[in-house]
Amino acid sequence: MSPPTMLQQADAHHLSLSEPKNGPFTYTDPLSEVPTLSGVDTSVDGSTPIIDMEGLLGPQRSEFVKQIGHACEKNGFFAVKNHGIPEMKINNMLDTARDFFHLPEEERLKFRSSDPNSIIRLVTGFQDKTRNIFVSRQSLKFHCHPVEDFKNQWPSTPPSFREKVGEYCASVRKVEVAMLEAISESLGLERDFIGKILKGHYVSINFYPACQESELNVTFGVRTHTDPTLITILMQDDVPGLQVINDDKWIDVNPIPNAVVVHVGDMLQALSNCRYKSLLHQATVNCEKERVSIASFCYPSDDAEIGPAKKLIDDDHPAIYKDFTYKEFHESMWRVKCSTAKRLDLFKAECD
């Protein structure tokens, strides 16, 4: 008898966990349209804009700020090199992530939760039966700023998890702050404009198992979505998989050694009055190698007032969104079952 496929395993896993005593352990977030992998144009290796972060520390800072603004407006993303995160910390983080997802299933499932507000939760792959596709990503998501407030709730296995993950999270937080200062300036705002509403740092350690070749056309790593963040900072291992929409077509964003990818989230789209648009992206899988990525989500405090910055509104650029709090947005996000920036439509300014 042939071994069960990933789709069959996912189906069986859901059935085994369907009794009320266990409760749901993941959620499906259906899109109105799900692109098929066969429809992706991967012929373009999308010339990723690269920003040298050291330039922000020198006399040519204004030029590098302009480059960041151009990348946010034209591409919605850019890569950052010389960001200051030591290569050893990056490698330790990626190795620790692999070690966690190679633990026995019962050890990993200790962190399973269906509550999106949990301090830490494991989200597993699932089968979308309505479209007969399998979303294979497994993610461990957790709060991490300040590190000392949360690390005791992180896994204690593997033994190095708390130390290595804490070191990486503290380092990437500095990159987040520096990027938000530059992005604020690129919009013509005070350097600390976005930083004043900054609160959290939420990390998702993502694991994409290699896919059986027979199921490649019906397996996604992650379906098309935008992030409900100010910005997201992504560290990838050396396995390609990230794809983004650019000029109305999908392009590959292949890993650049020791660089991170920064991309625009929904909250920055609102604050910039749609000058910077939240990046539509997805992840693919392959038949040869597993893939690991580390996404660091930068988001506002619950009571932060979100909406177009007043300096960006005039007669030629009326406000596209009304003011709202991040808490209002976050609560609505889980009701509307939309995975793209269209969830911001609920907060559009009323037309005259």
Side-chain angles (χ1 to χ4, degrees), residues 28 30-31 34 127-133 223:
T28 58
L31 297 166
V34 178
Q127 183 180 1
D128 183 344
K129 293 185 177 180
T130 62
R131 298 176 179 87
N132 194 33
I133 62 172
R223 294 175 298 176

Side-chain angles (χ1 to χ4, degrees), residues 177 180 224 238 282:
V177 172
L180 288 175
T224 309
D238 60 352
Q282 66 182 19

